[in-house]
Amino acid sequence: MIETDLGFWYDVTAAERQDPAGRNASVGYLSLELQEQLNTLMLPFLVLIGLAFAVAVDPYVKKPVKQVMLLIDAIELSIILACCLSNGLDAAWVPAYVTPQTALSAYCYIMRPVIIVLFIYVIWDDPRRRLFWIPAGLNAAVYLTTFFRHWTFHITPEGNFIRGAMGYTAHWIGILLLLCQLNIALSQSRKTEGREKLIPIVNVMLIILGVLMDSRCHDNGTISFTEICSVFCFAFYYIWLHLRFVREHEQALVAEQRIQIMMSQIQPHFLYNTLTTIQALCLENPRKAATITERFATYLRQNIDSLNEAKLIPFRKELDHTLVYAQIEMERFPNIHLDYEIEDEDFLLLALTVQPLVENAIRHGVRGIPRGQIEIITNRLPDCHEIVIRDNGKGFCPEELPGTDRPHIGIQNVRERLKKLCDGTMTINSEEGRGTCITIHIPLGKERP
């Protein structure tokens, strides 16, 4: 908002037009005041241009939000342009001077509450947000009276800015909208993880600070404090939205992987073979058939429950699930033996981490040898939790893992999820004909509840 006129050019005498080489300059020079104004405008202008490009090409920002962000960017740029034009008007252009500068100043006052409403649209996806257009509309109606009444402000033919009785309408409506935005930001911050939840709150406080500084300063140069704060808030909101949408994208991928892993665990042939085993035992050993049926039901229930495990689970819970599966397989294949040596169990890990690896060892490793042996070992190292799954089975070539159509796709899925969710690592040592050893390391402190 510009309250006084600052000229773009100043007159120079013939002597002043002489350059150091003695040549006559044909044009005037930019005033020092104008140079300071251009320096002030350059940073927010370049920030807005860069943000418009970043928002337009960002694949993670959803289309409706992207449209609102680009609209905010365009309005911010138009306000900066209005400030430039307002200051560029020469006071000698009377009487045409008064009307254009009045229109430009009124435009700036009208659009600033509109920007705040659009920021609310960015952080709050709720139909009730349309109600905030009411105070923004009232503010616009008040400042449109500037062209025939002096209720808000008027500019004299000499270029002096005179504020009227309702001259602070935009400030007070802006503060009201900002308080509403702050309340929404506080409620939204409960759904956001980490320190980034503070970004919407800091943005609101920053704009309030700019509004208060503008209300206390009679003249703050080419561009208002509110406009400068709004530009940087726009940048912060873009960062916040990008982080949020990236997290949502990653969560969707993790959920899809959980479904794929669960479906890989409940293979049709495993269901059929288990049910066939239970059927045979019903005649030979009904008590044992009942025991296997109970374990089978537990196994299915735990697999389905894993779909809802968005967070990490205790290692003991994953181990229990693994043992249920192994006990069913050992009933079907007496040649398989599972041993476990648990030295460390006080940590969290992903659901369906150990069990798919043990299943892979049984199905593709030890099932077809006279005495198959599988070991599960855990240790606490100085910087991480270690899980070792070792078998004496057929072994395989580790280079086959990247192929999505390979029989060991479950191992690759576990590795990707470990890396993404808890910065864990998986090392595979396998030799065909001698067995496989898989080692998982989960850094201390990286396991999130």
Side-chain angles (χ1 to χ4, degrees), residues 51-69:
L51 284 172
F53 177 77
V55 171
V57 302
D58 195 325
Y60 294 106
V61 178
K62 297 178 181 178
K63 185 176 180 180
V65 177
K66 182 178 294 189
Q67 292 173 344
V68 175
M69 295 287 284

Side-chain angles (χ1 to χ4, degrees), residues 33 40 44 46 75 135 176 183 207 240 295 303 314 335 387 409:
E33 292 176 328
T40 303
L46 292 178
I75 295 175
L176 174 63
N183 181 61
I207 297 179
W240 177 70
R295 290 172 180 170
N303 267 282
N335 62 304
I387 306 172
I409 184 61

Side-chain angles (χ1 to χ4, degrees), residues 195-239:
R195 297 178 182 176
E196 64 197 66
K197 66 174 61 176
L198 299 176
I199 292 179
I201 300 173
V202 171
N203 279 352
V204 172
M205 303 306 295
L206 192 58
I207 297 179
I208 290 177
L209 177 63
V211 171
L212 293 176
M213 292 179 69
D214 283 333
S215 66
R216 295 294 182 180
C217 298
H218 176 69
D219 177 23
N220 54 16
T222 303
I223 186 171
S224 68
F225 290 115
T226 302
E227 184 61 26
I228 294 175
C229 292
S230 182
V231 168
F232 286 98
C233 285
F234 180 65
F236 296 151
Y237 267 128
Y238 168 68
I239 295 172

Side-chain angles (χ1 to χ4, degrees), residues 417-437:
R417 293 165 67 233
L418 277 171
K419 180 63 178 176
K420 287 181 180 179
L421 293 186
C422 54
D423 200 23
T425 61
M426 177 189 293
T427 303
I428 302 174
N429 294 306
S430 185
E431 184 177 350
E432 294 187 9
R434 301 192 63 178
T436 303
C437 180

